[in-house]
Amino acid sequence: MISDETPLLPDAVRAYPFSWGSGFAWPPETEEREENLAYARAVLEACLPRVPLASPEPPEEPVVRDHEDGAYPRWTGIRAVLREHMPYARHVTAGRMAGARAECARRGIDTTDFEEIWTRRITAWIAEQTLVWCGLMVDDEKALTPWLMDLAELYARRGTAVEKAVWALLHTRAVPESRAALTRLAAYEGLPDEIRARIADELR
């Protein structure tokens, strides 16, 4: 029985309506209404780490061919356990996290700093999908969501959802604010070289 329903995510993120089973993705038919944009902004502001992370989140997931047995990192198995325990963001609680940790421990998986790591990782995945939806919804001519460019740049600099933050800026590079953010990021040595090179190529 789950005894501790103490939430591990901020209020705005706890209300996130899209399931882990669908990859936390915003449905493509979600309309660009003011209330949806306002909620997306609230989610991104709540998920943004206050200081740069020591290691980027989320970790890169490899592309695995069918014949490459055992090629997935062990954390993908942990993710499957967590998804069963916490199908929605509102289920990310101390009790459910403890239950998932116990199950992983029974399977012989290292559970050091389990709650801290996986709360951060779940937050990063939600931020990723929100950045993707925002990147698709921005009106390139009117720049209806100028706050997106500021937040996307902050995500890239703080090491969370970096790939999707840069993607959102590249997808909206017709907007002057996006191009300015990309120009700054291309010179930011805190980003991986391959991402900086991609940005530079796209800006040419």
Side-chain angles (χ1 to χ4, degrees), residues 8-9 76 144 154 179-180:
L8 299 178
L9 300 177
T76 58
L144 295 177
L154 284 173
R179 291 189 66 83

Side-chain angles (χ1 to χ4, degrees), residues 96-200:
R96 289 175 184 263
M97 188 69 77
R101 177 177 182 169
E103 184 173 337
C104 288
R106 286 194 295 271
R107 297 184 184 189
I109 299 172
D110 180 16
T111 57
T112 304
D113 297 326
F114 191 87
E115 180 179 304
E116 177 186 354
I117 291 170
W118 288 98
T119 301
R120 183 173 67 237
R121 201 157 285 179
I122 291 166
T123 301
W125 282 323
I126 290 173
E128 278 193 329
Q129 295 305 319
T130 304
L131 283 162
V132 168
W133 182 78
C134 287
L136 291 172
M137 290 299 104
V138 165
D139 185 316
D140 285 349
E141 294 181 359
K142 297 180 181 177
L144 295 177
T145 54
W147 46 264
L148 171 62
M149 294 74 186
D150 293 335
L151 285 169
E153 182 176 359
L154 284 173
Y155 268 93
R157 289 178 178 274
R158 295 186 187 175
T160 297
V162 174
E163 292 270 357
K164 295 299 189 292
V166 171
W167 178 90
L169 290 169
L170 289 171
H171 195 76
T172 60
R173 61 185 177 275
V175 178
E177 291 89 344
S178 286
R179 291 189 66 83
L182 288 165
T183 299
R184 290 188 293 270
L185 289 175
Y188 176 55
E189 295 183 356
L191 288 181
D193 291 343
E194 61 271 21
I195 293 180
R196 294 171 61 200
R198 186 192 319 158
I199 294 171

Side-chain angles (χ1 to χ4, degrees), residues 14 23 41 50-51 62 76 84-85 91 106 123 133 159 162 197 200:
R14 287 177 62 207
R41 181 178 185 177
R50 300 299 169 239
V51 296
T76 58
E84 292 177 3
H85 282 256
H91 297 135
R106 286 194 295 271
T123 301
W133 182 78
V162 174

Side-chain angles (χ1 to χ4, degrees), residues 27-134:
E29 66 273 16
T30 306
E31 296 180 5
E32 188 185 335
R33 296 199 305 267
E34 184 175 344
E35 57 267 33
N36 289 335
L37 290 167
Y39 180 64
R41 181 178 185 177
V43 167
L44 290 176
E45 289 175 343
C47 289
L48 182 68
R50 300 299 169 239
V51 296
L53 300 182
S55 299
E57 291 288 4
E60 182 178 0
E61 187 162 3
V63 177
V64 179
R65 299 180 181 86
D66 292 340
H67 64 275
E68 293 178 323
D69 294 335
Y72 280 109
R74 295 200 76 180
W75 64 260
T76 58
I78 300 175
R79 184 176 61 182
V81 171
L82 287 164
R83 187 167 55 240
E84 292 177 3
H85 282 256
M86 310 174 201
Y88 285 89
R90 64 180 177 273
H91 297 135
V92 182
T93 64
R96 289 175 184 263
M97 188 69 77
R101 177 177 182 169
E103 184 173 337
C104 288
R106 286 194 295 271
R107 297 184 184 189
I109 299 172
D110 180 16
T111 57
T112 304
D113 297 326
F114 191 87
E115 180 179 304
E116 177 186 354
I117 291 170
W118 288 98
T119 301
R120 183 173 67 237
R121 201 157 285 179
I122 291 166
T123 301
W125 282 323
I126 290 173
E128 278 193 329
Q129 295 305 319
T130 304
L131 283 162
V132 168
W133 182 78
C134 287

